[in-house]
mmCIF file of all heavy atoms in Angstrom:
data_model
loop_
_atom_site.group_PDB
_atom_site.id
_atom_site.type_symbol
_atom_site.label_atom_id
_atom_site.label_comp_id
_atom_site.label_asym_id
_atom_site.label_seq_id
_atom_site.Cartn_x
_atom_site.Cartn_y
_atom_site.Cartn_z
ATOM 1 N N SER Y 132 17.243 61.237 -168.932
ATOM 2 C CA SER Y 132 18.650 61.161 -169.392
ATOM 3 C C SER Y 132 19.214 59.842 -169.164
ATOM 4 O O SER Y 132 20.257 59.476 -169.785
ATOM 5 C CB SER Y 132 19.458 62.232 -168.626
ATOM 6 O OG SER Y 132 19.648 61.849 -167.242
ATOM 7 N N GLY Y 133 18.641 58.979 -168.279
ATOM 8 C CA GLY Y 133 19.274 57.723 -167.910
ATOM 9 C C GLY Y 133 20.326 57.880 -166.779
ATOM 10 O O GLY Y 133 20.932 56.860 -166.385
ATOM 11 N N ASP Y 134 20.502 59.086 -166.266
ATOM 12 C CA ASP Y 134 21.450 59.331 -165.234
ATOM 13 C C ASP Y 134 20.776 60.154 -164.160
ATOM 14 O O ASP Y 134 20.279 61.305 -164.424
ATOM 15 C CB ASP Y 134 22.612 60.174 -165.746
ATOM 16 C CG ASP Y 134 23.767 60.324 -164.742
ATOM 17 O OD1 ASP Y 134 23.484 60.682 -163.592
ATOM 18 O OD2 ASP Y 134 24.989 60.283 -165.131
ATOM 19 N N ALA Y 135 20.648 59.597 -162.901
ATOM 20 C CA ALA Y 135 19.894 60.259 -161.903
ATOM 21 C C ALA Y 135 20.425 61.613 -161.503
ATOM 22 O O ALA Y 135 19.674 62.526 -161.219
ATOM 23 C CB ALA Y 135 19.803 59.353 -160.640
ATOM 24 N N TYR Y 136 21.776 61.757 -161.535
ATOM 25 C CA TYR Y 136 22.387 63.044 -161.247
ATOM 26 C C TYR Y 136 21.966 64.072 -162.300
ATOM 27 O O TYR Y 136 21.564 65.236 -161.946
ATOM 28 C CB TYR Y 136 23.931 62.917 -161.275
ATOM 29 C CG TYR Y 136 24.514 62.185 -160.188
ATOM 30 C CD1 TYR Y 136 25.501 61.212 -160.398
ATOM 31 C CD2 TYR Y 136 24.101 62.382 -158.844
ATOM 32 C CE1 TYR Y 136 26.096 60.526 -159.350
ATOM 33 C CE2 TYR Y 136 24.716 61.631 -157.811
ATOM 34 C CZ TYR Y 136 25.662 60.757 -158.036
ATOM 35 O OH TYR Y 136 26.198 60.020 -157.021
ATOM 36 N N ALA Y 137 22.022 63.752 -163.594
ATOM 37 C CA ALA Y 137 21.597 64.639 -164.702
ATOM 38 C C ALA Y 137 20.173 65.035 -164.522
ATOM 39 O O ALA Y 137 19.781 66.163 -164.744
ATOM 40 C CB ALA Y 137 21.940 64.053 -165.995
ATOM 41 N N ASP Y 138 19.304 64.024 -164.205
ATOM 42 C CA ASP Y 138 17.931 64.310 -164.016
ATOM 43 C C ASP Y 138 17.628 65.323 -162.949
ATOM 44 O O ASP Y 138 16.810 66.213 -163.077
ATOM 45 C CB ASP Y 138 17.095 63.010 -163.778
ATOM 46 C CG ASP Y 138 17.012 62.141 -164.994
ATOM 47 O OD1 ASP Y 138 17.307 62.599 -166.100
ATOM 48 O OD2 ASP Y 138 16.657 60.912 -164.821
ATOM 49 N N GLU Y 139 18.287 65.163 -161.844
ATOM 50 C CA GLU Y 139 18.130 66.104 -160.700
ATOM 51 C C GLU Y 139 18.648 67.465 -161.108
ATOM 52 O O GLU Y 139 17.972 68.496 -160.801
ATOM 53 C CB GLU Y 139 18.911 65.597 -159.483
ATOM 54 C CG GLU Y 139 18.262 64.417 -158.746
ATOM 55 C CD GLU Y 139 16.990 64.751 -158.153
ATOM 56 O OE1 GLU Y 139 16.762 65.894 -157.773
ATOM 57 O OE2 GLU Y 139 16.070 63.875 -157.967
ATOM 58 N N LEU Y 140 19.799 67.583 -161.745
ATOM 59 C CA LEU Y 140 20.302 68.884 -162.155
ATOM 60 C C LEU Y 140 19.490 69.647 -163.187
ATOM 61 O O LEU Y 140 19.591 70.824 -163.317
ATOM 62 C CB LEU Y 140 21.757 68.701 -162.620
ATOM 63 C CG LEU Y 140 22.750 68.261 -161.493
ATOM 64 C CD1 LEU Y 140 24.097 67.894 -162.164
ATOM 65 C CD2 LEU Y 140 22.931 69.418 -160.504
ATOM 66 N N ALA Y 141 18.685 68.854 -163.943
ATOM 67 C CA ALA Y 141 17.869 69.503 -164.949
ATOM 68 C C ALA Y 141 16.729 70.293 -164.335
ATOM 69 O O ALA Y 141 16.090 71.111 -164.969
ATOM 70 C CB ALA Y 141 17.269 68.435 -165.904
ATOM 71 N N GLY Y 142 16.462 70.054 -163.054
ATOM 72 C CA GLY Y 142 15.431 70.790 -162.397
ATOM 73 C C GLY Y 142 15.879 72.034 -161.824
ATOM 74 O O GLY Y 142 17.007 72.514 -161.947
ATOM 75 N N ASN Y 143 14.988 72.759 -161.180
ATOM 76 C CA ASN Y 143 15.290 74.005 -160.470
ATOM 77 C C ASN Y 143 14.824 73.768 -158.969
ATOM 78 O O ASN Y 143 13.798 73.243 -158.677
ATOM 79 C CB ASN Y 143 14.376 75.134 -161.046
ATOM 80 C CG ASN Y 143 14.547 76.492 -160.250
ATOM 81 O OD1 ASN Y 143 14.062 76.604 -159.198
ATOM 82 N ND2 ASN Y 143 15.344 77.369 -160.883
ATOM 83 N N GLY Y 144 15.763 74.096 -158.028
ATOM 84 C CA GLY Y 144 15.546 73.839 -156.655
ATOM 85 C C GLY Y 144 14.272 74.342 -156.080
ATOM 86 O O GLY Y 144 13.504 73.660 -155.345
ATOM 87 N N LEU Y 145 13.876 75.603 -156.472
ATOM 88 C CA LEU Y 145 12.719 76.236 -155.952
ATOM 89 C C LEU Y 145 11.426 75.568 -156.507
ATOM 90 O O LEU Y 145 10.453 75.304 -155.814
ATOM 91 C CB LEU Y 145 12.684 77.705 -156.246
ATOM 92 C CG LEU Y 145 13.793 78.528 -155.565
ATOM 93 C CD1 LEU Y 145 13.627 79.991 -155.979
ATOM 94 C CD2 LEU Y 145 13.783 78.377 -154.034
ATOM 95 N N PHE Y 146 11.560 75.220 -157.784
ATOM 96 C CA PHE Y 146 10.402 74.425 -158.462
ATOM 97 C C PHE Y 146 10.304 73.100 -157.733
ATOM 98 O O PHE Y 146 9.112 72.700 -157.422
ATOM 99 C CB PHE Y 146 10.727 74.304 -159.921
ATOM 100 C CG PHE Y 146 9.592 73.747 -160.708
ATOM 101 C CD1 PHE Y 146 8.718 74.538 -161.377
ATOM 102 C CD2 PHE Y 146 9.418 72.350 -160.733
ATOM 103 C CE1 PHE Y 146 7.633 74.007 -162.110
ATOM 104 C CE2 PHE Y 146 8.322 71.809 -161.484
ATOM 105 C CZ PHE Y 146 7.485 72.718 -162.170
ATOM 106 N N SER Y 147 11.372 72.378 -157.507
ATOM 107 C CA SER Y 147 11.294 71.071 -156.816
ATOM 108 C C SER Y 147 10.736 71.194 -155.455
ATOM 109 O O SER Y 147 9.992 70.352 -155.022
ATOM 110 C CB SER Y 147 12.659 70.450 -156.881
ATOM 111 O OG SER Y 147 13.119 70.172 -158.203
ATOM 112 N N LEU Y 148 11.121 72.238 -154.725
ATOM 113 C CA LEU Y 148 10.623 72.440 -153.389
ATOM 114 C C LEU Y 148 9.123 72.637 -153.387
ATOM 115 O O LEU Y 148 8.411 72.019 -152.591
ATOM 116 C CB LEU Y 148 11.330 73.635 -152.755
ATOM 117 C CG LEU Y 148 10.926 73.976 -151.327
ATOM 118 C CD1 LEU Y 148 11.394 72.804 -150.350
ATOM 119 C CD2 LEU Y 148 11.541 75.326 -150.832
ATOM 120 N N ALA Y 149 8.619 73.477 -154.328
ATOM 121 C CA ALA Y 149 7.193 73.687 -154.433
ATOM 122 C C ALA Y 149 6.454 72.372 -154.782
ATOM 123 O O ALA Y 149 5.394 72.107 -154.297
ATOM 124 C CB ALA Y 149 6.885 74.778 -155.414
ATOM 125 N N ALA Y 150 7.016 71.615 -155.674
ATOM 126 C CA ALA Y 150 6.376 70.319 -156.131
ATOM 127 C C ALA Y 150 6.375 69.416 -154.901
ATOM 128 O O ALA Y 150 5.358 68.704 -154.727
ATOM 129 C CB ALA Y 150 7.175 69.719 -157.249
ATOM 130 N N ALA Y 151 7.447 69.377 -154.111
ATOM 131 C CA ALA Y 151 7.492 68.510 -152.974
ATOM 132 C C ALA Y 151 6.429 68.891 -151.938
ATOM 133 O O ALA Y 151 5.786 68.010 -151.279
ATOM 134 C CB ALA Y 151 8.845 68.531 -152.282
ATOM 135 N N MET Y 152 6.151 70.188 -151.780
ATOM 136 C CA MET Y 152 5.172 70.684 -150.895
ATOM 137 C C MET Y 152 3.736 70.168 -151.307
ATOM 138 O O MET Y 152 2.925 69.787 -150.470
ATOM 139 C CB MET Y 152 5.186 72.172 -150.763
ATOM 140 C CG MET Y 152 6.364 72.744 -150.037
ATOM 141 S SD MET Y 152 6.309 74.575 -150.028
ATOM 142 C CE MET Y 152 7.684 74.934 -148.976
ATOM 143 N N ARG Y 153 3.561 70.087 -152.582
ATOM 144 C CA ARG Y 153 2.229 69.703 -153.089
ATOM 145 C C ARG Y 153 2.124 68.123 -153.004
ATOM 146 O O ARG Y 153 0.972 67.599 -152.867
ATOM 147 C CB ARG Y 153 2.057 70.079 -154.567
ATOM 148 C CG ARG Y 153 1.945 71.487 -154.785
ATOM 149 C CD ARG Y 153 1.456 71.791 -156.259
ATOM 150 N NE ARG Y 153 2.208 71.128 -157.230
ATOM 151 C CZ ARG Y 153 3.264 71.630 -157.870
ATOM 152 N NH1 ARG Y 153 3.676 72.851 -157.472
ATOM 153 N NH2 ARG Y 153 3.868 71.018 -158.818
ATOM 154 N N ARG Y 154 3.198 67.420 -153.070
ATOM 155 C CA ARG Y 154 3.164 65.979 -153.151
ATOM 156 C C ARG Y 154 3.693 65.241 -151.973
ATOM 157 O O ARG Y 154 4.102 64.103 -151.996
ATOM 158 C CB ARG Y 154 3.938 65.450 -154.380
ATOM 159 C CG ARG Y 154 3.363 65.961 -155.732
ATOM 160 C CD ARG Y 154 4.078 65.333 -156.855
ATOM 161 N NE ARG Y 154 3.502 65.718 -158.109
ATOM 162 C CZ ARG Y 154 3.927 65.222 -159.312
ATOM 163 N NH1 ARG Y 154 4.882 64.247 -159.264
ATOM 164 N NH2 ARG Y 154 3.402 65.589 -160.411
ATOM 165 N N ASN Y 155 3.742 65.896 -150.813
ATOM 166 C CA ASN Y 155 4.310 65.295 -149.650
ATOM 167 C C ASN Y 155 3.549 63.986 -149.257
ATOM 168 O O ASN Y 155 4.079 63.126 -148.592
ATOM 169 C CB ASN Y 155 4.321 66.253 -148.468
ATOM 170 C CG ASN Y 155 5.710 66.284 -147.801
ATOM 171 O OD1 ASN Y 155 6.640 65.648 -148.309
ATOM 172 N ND2 ASN Y 155 5.802 67.052 -146.746
ATOM 173 N N GLU Y 156 2.276 63.883 -149.604
ATOM 174 C CA GLU Y 156 1.532 62.651 -149.440
ATOM 175 C C GLU Y 156 0.947 62.395 -150.787
ATOM 176 O O GLU Y 156 0.157 63.140 -151.443
ATOM 177 C CB GLU Y 156 0.494 62.898 -148.389
ATOM 178 C CG GLU Y 156 1.018 63.000 -147.008
ATOM 179 C CD GLU Y 156 -0.066 62.843 -145.935
ATOM 180 O OE1 GLU Y 156 -1.127 62.395 -146.269
ATOM 181 O OE2 GLU Y 156 0.200 63.269 -144.770
ATOM 182 N N LEU Y 157 1.214 61.173 -151.346
ATOM 183 C CA LEU Y 157 0.742 60.757 -152.634
ATOM 184 C C LEU Y 157 -0.270 59.674 -152.436
ATOM 185 O O LEU Y 157 0.057 58.643 -151.821
ATOM 186 C CB LEU Y 157 1.921 60.294 -153.513
ATOM 187 C CG LEU Y 157 2.903 61.347 -153.991
ATOM 188 C CD1 LEU Y 157 4.112 60.625 -154.611
ATOM 189 C CD2 LEU Y 157 2.311 62.308 -154.962
ATOM 190 N N ASP Y 158 -1.454 59.825 -152.995
ATOM 191 C CA ASP Y 158 -2.436 58.787 -152.917
ATOM 192 C C ASP Y 158 -2.132 57.692 -153.847
ATOM 193 O O ASP Y 158 -2.083 57.949 -155.114
ATOM 194 C CB ASP Y 158 -3.821 59.377 -153.200
ATOM 195 C CG ASP Y 158 -4.965 58.346 -153.100
ATOM 196 O OD1 ASP Y 158 -5.308 58.053 -151.979
ATOM 197 O OD2 ASP Y 158 -5.325 57.843 -154.174
ATOM 198 N N TYR Y 159 -1.874 56.464 -153.432
ATOM 199 C CA TYR Y 159 -1.389 55.437 -154.283
ATOM 200 C C TYR Y 159 -2.407 55.143 -155.424
ATOM 201 O O TYR Y 159 -1.992 55.105 -156.616
ATOM 202 C CB TYR Y 159 -1.160 54.157 -153.508
ATOM 203 C CG TYR Y 159 -0.535 53.071 -154.347
ATOM 204 C CD1 TYR Y 159 0.767 52.884 -154.483
ATOM 205 C CD2 TYR Y 159 -1.440 52.262 -155.226
ATOM 206 C CE1 TYR Y 159 1.305 51.930 -155.409
ATOM 207 C CE2 TYR Y 159 -0.925 51.326 -156.077
ATOM 208 C CZ TYR Y 159 0.501 51.173 -156.178
ATOM 209 O OH TYR Y 159 0.996 50.250 -157.064
ATOM 210 N N ALA Y 160 -3.637 54.999 -155.089
ATOM 211 C CA ALA Y 160 -4.644 54.657 -156.091
ATOM 212 C C ALA Y 160 -4.754 55.674 -157.208
ATOM 213 O O ALA Y 160 -5.064 55.353 -158.379
ATOM 214 C CB ALA Y 160 -5.992 54.467 -155.454
ATOM 215 N N ARG Y 161 -4.439 56.939 -156.872
ATOM 216 C CA ARG Y 161 -4.580 58.039 -157.901
ATOM 217 C C ARG Y 161 -3.297 58.038 -158.731
ATOM 218 O O ARG Y 161 -3.449 58.318 -159.968
ATOM 219 C CB ARG Y 161 -4.767 59.325 -157.185
ATOM 220 C CG ARG Y 161 -4.819 60.486 -158.192
ATOM 221 C CD ARG Y 161 -4.942 61.820 -157.394
ATOM 222 N NE ARG Y 161 -4.847 62.997 -158.315
ATOM 223 C CZ ARG Y 161 -4.729 64.273 -157.915
ATOM 224 N NH1 ARG Y 161 -4.740 64.545 -156.644
ATOM 225 N NH2 ARG Y 161 -4.667 65.202 -158.828
ATOM 226 N N TRP Y 162 -2.156 57.772 -158.193
ATOM 227 C CA TRP Y 162 -0.900 58.137 -158.890
ATOM 228 C C TRP Y 162 -0.166 56.915 -159.461
ATOM 229 O O TRP Y 162 0.684 57.052 -160.341
ATOM 230 C CB TRP Y 162 0.062 58.844 -157.993
ATOM 231 C CG TRP Y 162 -0.376 60.263 -157.675
ATOM 232 C CD1 TRP Y 162 -1.049 60.723 -156.622
ATOM 233 C CD2 TRP Y 162 -0.162 61.414 -158.497
ATOM 234 N NE1 TRP Y 162 -1.263 62.050 -156.670
ATOM 235 C CE2 TRP Y 162 -0.637 62.526 -157.816
ATOM 236 C CE3 TRP Y 162 0.481 61.601 -159.695
ATOM 237 C CZ2 TRP Y 162 -0.635 63.832 -158.315
ATOM 238 C CZ3 TRP Y 162 0.533 62.863 -160.212
ATOM 239 C CH2 TRP Y 162 -0.029 64.005 -159.535
ATOM 240 N N TYR Y 163 -0.493 55.699 -158.968
ATOM 241 C CA TYR Y 163 0.367 54.547 -159.306
ATOM 242 C C TYR Y 163 -0.450 53.428 -160.015
ATOM 243 O O TYR Y 163 -1.688 53.419 -159.928
ATOM 244 C CB TYR Y 163 0.960 53.935 -158.036
ATOM 245 C CG TYR Y 163 2.019 54.891 -157.413
ATOM 246 C CD1 TYR Y 163 1.605 55.871 -156.511
ATOM 247 C CD2 TYR Y 163 3.348 54.717 -157.707
ATOM 248 C CE1 TYR Y 163 2.515 56.719 -155.905
ATOM 249 C CE2 TYR Y 163 4.296 55.574 -157.138
ATOM 250 C CZ TYR Y 163 3.852 56.632 -156.273
ATOM 251 O OH TYR Y 163 4.801 57.427 -155.704
ATOM 252 N N ALA Y 164 0.248 52.532 -160.672
ATOM 253 C CA ALA Y 164 -0.346 51.391 -161.300
ATOM 254 C C ALA Y 164 -1.038 50.581 -160.229
ATOM 255 O O ALA Y 164 -0.629 50.362 -159.138
ATOM 256 C CB ALA Y 164 0.668 50.590 -162.017
ATOM 257 N N THR Y 165 -2.280 50.006 -160.614
ATOM 258 C CA THR Y 165 -3.093 49.275 -159.672
ATOM 259 C C THR Y 165 -3.522 47.973 -160.243
ATOM 260 O O THR Y 165 -3.444 47.716 -161.436
ATOM 261 C CB THR Y 165 -4.285 50.106 -159.172
ATOM 262 O OG1 THR Y 165 -5.090 50.366 -160.431
ATOM 263 C CG2 THR Y 165 -3.907 51.392 -158.516
ATOM 264 N N LEU Y 166 -4.047 47.145 -159.357
ATOM 265 C CA LEU Y 166 -4.679 45.871 -159.647
ATOM 266 C C LEU Y 166 -6.058 45.817 -158.979
ATOM 267 O O LEU Y 166 -6.218 46.536 -157.919
ATOM 268 C CB LEU Y 166 -3.905 44.673 -159.123
ATOM 269 C CG LEU Y 166 -2.589 44.300 -159.845
ATOM 270 C CD1 LEU Y 166 -1.880 43.194 -159.048
ATOM 271 C CD2 LEU Y 166 -2.809 43.886 -161.278
#
């Protein structure tokens, strides 16, 4: 949306909680741009 508030509100709290449980540790090499 270009608005962080709107992006957050588009989610569902329980869905976001479950996603955070899965991603509490993110492997940089797997998830991010690398060199």
